[in-house]
Amino acid sequence: MFDSILQAVFSGLALGSIYALVAVGFNITFNTTRTLNFGQGEFLVAGAFVAVSVILLLAGKNITDSLVPGDVTMVRYVLSLLATMAMLGVLGVILYYAAVRPFVGRAGMAWVMSTIGFGIIIQNTALAIWGPSPMVMPSPLGSDVIRLGGAGVLPQEILVLAASVVVLLALDFVMRRTRIGKAVRAVAQNGAAATLMGINVSAIIVLAFVISSSLAGLAGLLIAPITTASVFMGMSLALKAFSSAILGGLTSPRGCMVGGFILGIIEALVGLWHAELREISIFVLIILVLVVRPQGLMGQKIVEKV
């Protein structure tokens, strides 16, 4: 029984790290513009399929062909990572100028529908190119189970957890210790005051969408070898990532990280006991958090910017 619990914890940490990556993306755009990309799940889908396509091209195949384990080397995987984050960053810029900027500062929730619509465009484009069938993406580390303390862990789960933690810690360092990070935080606190201090607020906002979209693409690349790449996988993952942000605190980057890991572990442990109750337990928890502490475990009460 202990081995099963330990294995569930390892799997939960890996899954939670994916939630954390996407949740931090929600946090960055919300803090800088008070908007959210409700098509974030489709950006994750785009990341997965861009990564698969890059690896296929590097292997000398067509982007609609199938991958076999020999096609996915670590060098190709890293190159696909760089290409994915770059392309998703560009997609984030397009999202901001096409679906968010026209509505920032205006009354109403037009940006909600525009970001949802942008996500639908991405999903249907992927559907037209790759079709509805999932694409298998083998892990560059192989599929042999590794034994850790009696628990069986996939190499990709270790890679997912390690890569996510490194990226999240690096992002946390950048946000707290560098000039560009302090500029992002200044814009998040008060855009008008940041402008008076000489900060290019427009550039910072664009950067926020680039980072958010790139994190979603990275999450898609990391999770694809575990779940396969599917055009329909984005909604569920994005909802749970958003739930992680609500749990940890939408206004707190560290809260979003912590919320992701907590939610991943809860989902895995509840699934060990009763698989059908995983989603129910998550959303019951989120409702309780919204009632008891609406700002989340580590968040602050949201105040409107002047």
Side-chain angles (χ1 to χ4, degrees):
M1 183 62 181
F2 176 77
D3 292 348
S4 299
I5 293 175
L6 187 60
Q7 183 168 334
V9 170
F10 278 128
S11 297
L13 286 172
L15 189 58
S17 65
I18 296 297
Y19 297 159
L21 285 172
V22 182
V24 170
F26 280 123
N27 160 265
I28 292 172
T29 56
F30 180 78
N31 277 349
T32 52
T33 64
R34 286 294 185 263
T35 64
L36 296 164
N37 176 15
F38 282 99
Q40 191 82 331
E42 278 59 52
F43 278 68
L44 187 148
V45 169
F49 277 98
V50 167
V52 169
S53 298
V54 170
I55 293 175
L56 282 167
L57 290 174
L58 290 173
K61 295 184 176 181
N62 189 279
I63 62 171
T64 56
D65 290 340
S66 299
L67 284 171
V68 296
D71 294 331
V72 188
T73 64
M74 185 54 72
V75 172
R76 289 172 182 170
Y77 194 75
V78 171
L79 290 175
S80 72
L81 163 66
L82 298 175
T84 297
M85 296 189 71
M87 292 186 69
L88 266 292
V90 172
L91 201 58
V93 175
I94 297 172
L95 167 73
Y96 172 67
Y97 281 108
V100 177
R101 185 182 180 184
F103 310 108
V104 172
R106 295 187 181 181
M109 304 289 283
W111 56 268
V112 174
M113 290 307 300
S114 65
T115 56
I116 291 174
F118 198 91
I120 291 173
I121 291 172
I122 292 175
Q123 184 185 55
N124 281 273
T125 301
L127 195 61
I129 297 173
W130 292 283
S133 300
M135 295 185 71
V136 176
M137 181 179 181
S139 170
L141 300 179
S143 57
D144 294 334
V145 175
I146 299 173
R147 291 290 169 183
L148 296 175
V153 183
L154 291 172
Q156 185 65 25
E157 290 179 330
I158 298 175
L159 177 61
V160 167
L161 180 58
S164 299
V165 168
V166 168
V167 170
L168 291 171
L169 290 177
L171 186 61
D172 185 73
F173 176 83
V174 169
M175 289 297 177
R176 292 178 178 273
R177 301 292 183 182
T178 67
R179 291 183 63 184
I180 190 70
K182 291 176 181 178
V184 172
R185 291 167 61 196
V187 172
Q189 288 293 322
N190 191 311
T195 300
L196 293 175
M197 295 298 292
I199 296 173
N200 188 335
V201 173
S202 296
I204 294 298
I205 291 174
V206 171
L207 176 63
F209 277 86
V210 168
I211 294 173
S212 175
S213 301
S214 297
L215 288 176
L218 173 63
L221 165 72
L222 292 173
I223 198 67
I226 297 175
T227 64
T228 71
S230 168
V231 295
F232 305 111
M233 71 180 186
M235 178 62 73
S236 175
L237 290 170
L239 279 175
K240 292 174 183 177
F242 186 66
S243 299
S244 301
I246 297 299
L247 174 62
L250 185 58
T251 60
S252 169
R254 290 182 174 179
C256 291
M257 297 177 196
V258 172
F261 287 112
I262 291 175
L263 215 64
I265 292 174
I266 290 174
E267 182 179 356
L269 290 176
V270 172
L272 183 64
W273 170 57
H274 205 302
E276 287 76 13
L277 296 180
R278 287 182 301 180
E279 277 72 21
I280 294 176
S281 64
I282 289 174
F283 292 108
V284 167
L285 174 62
I286 297 307
I287 291 172
L288 289 175
V289 169
L290 288 172
V291 171
V292 176
R293 188 175 171 81
Q295 67 267 39
L297 300 179
M298 300 173 64
Q300 299 176 346
K301 289 185 178 180
I302 298 172
V303 295
E304 293 298 324
K305 299 177 182 178
V306 179

